[in-house]
Amino acid sequence: MNLYSYFFVAGVSAFCLLTGRSAVAQDIKVEPIIIKAERNRILRSFIDLNGGKRVTHAISVGSPLQVHYTYDADNGQLVLLWKGGFLDATPMWHDRGDGSSRPLGKAIRIGDATPQIQRLATPQTELKKDTVGSGFKPKGYTLDASGLPVFKYQAYGLNVKDATRVIDDGQGIRREIESEGSANNLYLCLAKANVIEHKDGNYVIEDKAYSITIVDEAKLKPIIRTIQGTQELLVPFQSKIIYSILFNQ
């Protein structure tokens, strides 16, 4: 090795040592690890929401109808809904991974990882951001004959079953929440948005490209309220509620 080669190699080695980079080319293309939903699929992972919030006990459910959702088992709440491909699991399974996966396609955020069922002193009481005082306890899920989950949990002394199914035409999902027994002053928050409008029996979520229809709406008497500049759609919860989330586009 001549003198010039020696100093070149020494310089490269010093640069790599200081920057932590390898002398080997760094731009190695990673083949995405894609999970398809050619049949009903379930994957547990972390899911990151916009704003930096991470759902650590997320359960994503994929459908061959190309409509998928993510459920937050820590709060009994749906958080994401999307059409198209199912999941990109590259962040979870490539190299050491970080435990997270991400939806393929543009996901609609339909929940904010806070408790779905809450006890409110009045219809204007603000929602809590955690399950403290609710006795919330996840109880896992069972699978139906199609391999789809029925989530179970306890809250406010009630045993709750929570099942979401894709509508046959792929235009959205239908969710049924049912409890054994009932408790006073319980509400479900079905949506939060800048504007929620009641049109022709639907609740149109103006800034989130979806609408909600509620079975037995007249009996349940949903409430649209404004809290700190944000509108919320609340439904009193007795022992059962069935509603659908439909894509507007």
Side-chain angles (χ1 to χ4, degrees):
M1 179 183 294
N2 60 37
L3 186 61
Y4 292 102
S5 298
Y6 173 83
F7 281 113
F8 175 79
V9 172
V12 170
S13 299
F15 174 80
C16 294
L17 181 63
L18 291 172
T19 62
R21 298 182 182 179
S22 169
V24 180
Q26 294 297 305
D27 296 331
I28 300 175
K29 186 175 181 180
V30 176
E31 189 71 24
I33 303 173
I34 303 301
I35 300 178
K36 298 180 180 180
E38 296 170 343
R39 54 181 174 80
N40 293 324
R41 299 291 299 268
I42 299 174
L43 182 74
R44 303 178 72 115
S45 70
F46 299 152
I47 289 285
D48 293 323
L49 305 178
N50 292 338
K53 190 166 189 176
R54 169 164 282 191
V55 181
T56 56
H57 291 88
I59 302 173
S60 295
V61 181
S63 166
L65 293 174
Q66 299 296 290
V67 175
H68 323 289
Y69 68 87
T70 296
Y71 183 86
D72 175 12
D74 281 336
N75 290 290
Q77 187 185 70
L78 299 179
V79 290
L80 295 177
L81 175 67
W82 69 99
K83 296 189 290 186
F86 184 33
L87 287 173
D88 180 355
T90 309
M92 179 167 60
W93 287 335
H94 174 66
D95 200 10
R96 297 176 66 179
D98 68 355
S100 71
S101 62
R102 52 190 177 226
L104 289 171
K106 185 177 181 180
I108 301 171
R109 184 165 170 175
I110 55 175
D112 55 2
T114 56
Q116 182 84 74
I117 298 178
Q118 298 203 27
R119 172 168 283 149
L120 304 180
T122 74
Q124 291 302 313
T125 302
E126 290 192 31
L127 295 168
K128 294 182 179 180
K129 298 185 182 301
D130 55 47
T131 59
V132 174
S134 69
F136 184 90
K137 183 181 295 184
K139 304 296 287 186
Y141 60 84
T142 57
L143 298 178
D144 67 10
S146 300
L148 293 170
V150 177
F151 297 103
K152 299 180 179 182
Y153 57 87
Q154 294 176 341
Y156 300 101
L158 303 177
N159 293 314
V160 181
K161 294 182 180 180
D162 186 347
T164 297
R165 301 292 180 260
V166 175
I167 297 171
D168 287 342
D169 59 6
Q171 292 303 305
I173 55 176
R174 177 182 171 94
R175 187 182 189 192
E176 182 173 328
I177 303 173
E178 185 173 10
S179 68
E180 298 175 2
S182 61
N184 295 327
N185 302 322
L186 296 185
Y187 292 83
L188 273 74
C189 180
L190 302 188
K192 295 181 182 180
N194 292 329
V195 178
I196 300 176
E197 292 187 346
H198 192 203
K199 296 180 179 179
D200 303 322
N202 293 335
Y203 292 88
V204 181
I205 315 303
E206 294 289 355
D207 61 346
K208 294 193 177 178
Y210 69 93
S211 59
I212 291 175
T213 61
I214 302 171
V215 175
D216 290 334
E217 174 191 0
K219 177 182 177 181
L220 294 174
K221 298 180 180 178
I223 302 164
I224 298 176
R225 67 178 193 172
T226 301
I227 300 292
Q228 296 185 7
T230 298
Q231 291 201 308
E232 300 173 345
L233 175 59
L234 299 185
V235 180
F237 181 67
Q238 299 299 323
S239 60
K240 186 174 183 177
I241 180 172
I242 301 173
Y243 71 99
S244 297
I245 299 177
L246 306 173
F247 296 107
N248 287 342
Q249 300 176 354

